[in-house]
Amino acid sequence: MMSTHSLDMSVLSSPQRRCHLLLMLCLPESIVTVESVCQLNGVDHAVTRQDIAEVAEEIQRYHHLAIEQDELGALHLCGTHVDQRLCLLHNLRRALRLSPGFIHNDFSSAIKRQLQTLPVDKALHDEHNLAALIQYCALHLDREFSARDSQLLQVWLRYALAWHCQPDFTAQQMHWLKGKSEFPLAQAIARCWSKRGYQVDVNEVALLALLFSQLHIPQIHTPLSGHERQLIQSVELLIQRFQALSGMVFSNDAGLSAQLYTHLAQALERTLFSIGIDHSLVDDIAQQYPRLLRTTREAIAALEQQYRVQFTDEEMGLIAIIFGAWLIQESALQEKQVLLLIGRDSELEQQVEQQLRELTLLPLTIKYQDVADFQRHSAPKGIALVITPYATPLPLYSPPLIHAELPLGEHQQRSIRLLLES
């Protein structure tokens, strides 16, 4: 049973409670029940059951895991070993930020108690030796670990010694991991452990490599392997394809390449290991930037084929946002504001708005005004273009106004694009 002396029950936030619950579920020797979670977090059954439901939804979305309850009432984390370890990593990082006392006093203590029951050489999990090993890792990778990441690595390495894991990597996942600069480091750790009687197979080595990779934010100016140089070349080709499809040119290829490299290195790994990301922006991007999203999809198809992946809508949306931000930066423009005059036919107005968004890759801000109000007061300040499906006389002073009859004619499309992109 985990202790509760380190927790101030009156101030635990919902995110803290959920971290505690999930990390308890990650301890194979711990018997987790609704009652034990209530005691740990200092809340009643109703709040605990709500926390369980929210955690279950979150880990299903991001890690394809489930929480199941057995006939004795014990809760279990269900899913592949790889997904469980990635979930553990994600939530350890979060807990070290939100609830470090829980990690130090409860989670780490449970791992140490488990190690005491095993024939694992104490030198392997001695605090001084682990600190030296982490320093060796930093030197090997030419990286500097933050204090929080160093603490995470101590917890993770002890956890790995306490509980063997048999991850079942696909050939594609293993190929990715073996090509990374973190893999030789993981092999070195395995050799160090094996000298003291703790055997680590190649799949566990790959899992260690994945851990170090997940902690790292890749930068284009520090490529270390052929794998990374290949991705740099792929990013350059991606930019060339986007320019060819969009008809626009980026003057600062180096800056865009650096940002795309950092993002795609992580996005490819998330995709290969089915790590989910926040999906709240996807619908907005598809609705507001359809041409930008479509152009991004076409441009990145060759990279997807090269790496044998298919980016999710969420990942594709983030890549499109990077291109969109650089298009705005290149043109030195603010988002153009367009006024759509509305009246009696909402479906027709939606069609006009959609066609308008299809005309440019640049972000737009679309405002709405009733036709009669426009005739009385004209357009608000800052409007670059007024468009409407209704025939309407112009007020005395007005920005350019286009009467849109669907589908928009070629001349109208050129006129609108010129106004929006100039």
Side-chain angles (χ1 to χ4, degrees):
M1 188 69 179
M2 301 181 76
S3 67
T4 59
H5 66 274
S6 63
L7 303 174
D8 183 347
M9 300 305 183
S10 64
V11 297
L12 286 182
S13 66
S14 176
Q16 286 174 315
R17 295 196 310 268
R18 294 198 300 269
C19 275
H20 299 170
L21 164 64
L22 193 44
L23 290 176
M24 287 172 68
L25 290 169
C26 290
L27 292 170
E29 305 304 315
S30 177
I31 299 175
V32 183
T33 64
V34 172
E35 185 61 41
S36 69
V37 178
C38 289
Q39 292 177 12
L40 178 70
N41 285 335
V43 292
D44 60 24
H45 282 67
V47 173
T48 294
R49 291 192 184 280
Q50 180 63 30
D51 287 342
I52 292 170
E54 290 177 5
V55 167
E57 181 182 358
E58 177 183 320
I59 63 176
Q60 172 58 41
R61 182 191 313 141
Y62 294 116
H63 298 291
H64 314 285
L65 299 174
I67 298 175
E68 295 183 0
Q69 190 170 28
D70 65 23
E71 63 278 3
L72 298 177
L75 302 170
H76 303 278
L77 200 59
C78 300
T80 70
H81 287 112
V82 175
D83 289 337
Q84 289 194 39
R85 288 294 170 102
L86 286 169
C87 180
L88 170 62
L89 173 62
H90 174 83
N91 284 279
L92 266 179
R93 299 187 81 176
R94 183 162 58 177
L96 283 168
R97 186 180 73 253
L98 296 176
S99 196
F102 173 80
I103 297 296
H104 178 73
N105 294 316
D106 296 89
F107 191 76
S108 293
S109 296
I111 298 172
K112 290 175 183 177
R113 287 195 298 272
Q114 173 66 9
L115 283 169
Q116 290 171 0
T117 70
L118 301 173
V120 177
D121 191 329
K122 290 183 180 179
L124 294 181
H125 52 89
D126 171 77
E127 188 166 340
H128 176 76
N129 290 341
L130 280 177
L133 176 59
I134 292 166
Q135 180 62 29
Y136 168 80
C137 294
L139 291 171
H140 188 284
L141 295 171
D142 193 21
R143 295 173 195 166
E144 186 174 341
F145 294 120
S146 67
R148 189 177 290 162
D149 278 349
S150 294
Q151 186 179 357
L152 182 148
L153 285 167
Q154 284 231 10
V155 175
W156 181 279
L157 292 169
R158 282 197 179 101
Y159 186 99
L161 289 166
W163 289 287
H164 267 292
C165 181
Q166 295 299 322
D168 188 15
F169 291 111
T170 66
Q172 185 182 13
Q173 290 170 336
M174 189 63 81
H175 176 75
W176 171 269
L177 292 172
K178 285 184 174 180
K180 295 187 72 69
S181 56
E182 292 85 357
F183 194 83
L185 171 63
Q187 289 177 310
I189 294 173
R191 286 193 296 270
C192 170
W193 286 356
S194 67
K195 289 178 182 178
R196 292 189 172 270
Y198 190 90
Q199 299 303 315
V200 180
D201 68 20
V202 67
N203 288 317
E204 290 178 287
V205 170
L207 187 60
L208 273 173
L210 180 57
L211 159 72
F212 284 102
S213 178
Q214 285 284 296
L215 291 179
H216 181 53
I217 299 176
Q219 303 293 333
I220 201 167
H221 57 269
T222 57
L224 299 172
S225 67
H227 170 98
E228 291 159 331
R229 288 193 296 273
Q230 181 187 58
L231 181 56
I232 291 172
Q233 293 172 355
S234 299
V235 167
E236 292 170 351
L237 290 173
L238 168 62
I239 294 172
Q240 291 173 20
R241 286 192 294 271
F242 187 93
Q243 290 180 145
L245 289 165
S246 67
M248 297 184 173
V249 177
F250 298 103
S251 60
N252 184 4
D253 278 8
L256 176 56
S257 292
Q259 186 174 0
L260 279 172
Y261 172 81
T262 294
H263 181 82
L264 284 170
Q266 297 173 92
L268 282 167
E269 189 157 284
R270 285 194 298 265
T271 301
L272 282 167
F273 293 93
S274 301
I275 303 170
I277 58 173
D278 183 26
H279 63 289
S280 59
L281 292 176
V282 174
D283 291 340
D284 288 342
I285 295 167
Q287 181 180 0
Q288 296 182 25
Y289 313 113
R291 187 178 170 204
L292 175 63
L293 187 57
R294 187 172 60 251
T295 304
T296 302
R297 286 188 187 280
E298 292 177 24
I300 210 165
L303 186 144
E304 288 182 306
Q305 185 175 10
Q306 176 187 355
Y307 285 94
R308 295 187 291 127
V309 299
Q310 184 172 2
F311 288 119
T312 62
D313 291 342
E314 292 86 354
E315 293 286 5
M316 195 67 72
L318 292 180
I319 298 166
I321 286 174
I322 292 174
F323 277 118
W326 278 83
L327 287 173
I328 285 287
Q329 182 176 315
E330 287 287 335
S331 59
L333 296 173
Q334 300 298 318
E335 285 193 17
K336 288 295 181 72
Q337 296 189 33
V338 178
L339 184 66
L340 175 59
L341 301 183
I342 58 176
R344 59 189 177 275
D345 191 337
S346 61
E347 185 176 342
L348 178 61
E349 292 154 9
Q350 289 173 10
Q351 291 174 7
V352 171
E353 179 176 345
Q354 192 64 22
Q355 288 211 16
L356 187 64
R357 292 189 182 280
E358 289 280 0
L359 289 178
T360 180
L361 279 78
L362 298 178
L364 298 175
T365 297
I366 297 182
K367 299 184 175 181
Y368 309 92
Q369 187 177 14
D370 185 86
V371 172
D373 185 62
F374 171 73
Q375 291 170 349
R376 286 192 299 269
H377 304 292
S378 188
K381 290 182 179 179
I383 297 297
L385 168 68
V386 180
I387 189 167
T388 180
Y390 310 113
T392 180
L394 281 170
L396 185 59
Y397 300 103
S398 171
L401 183 144
I402 290 180
H403 175 221
E405 294 183 355
L406 300 182
L408 293 173
E410 188 175 335
H411 174 71
Q412 279 191 327
Q413 290 185 35
R414 283 200 304 271
S415 299
I416 293 171
R417 192 176 294 119
L418 181 63
L419 282 164
L420 297 179
E421 297 180 356
S422 63

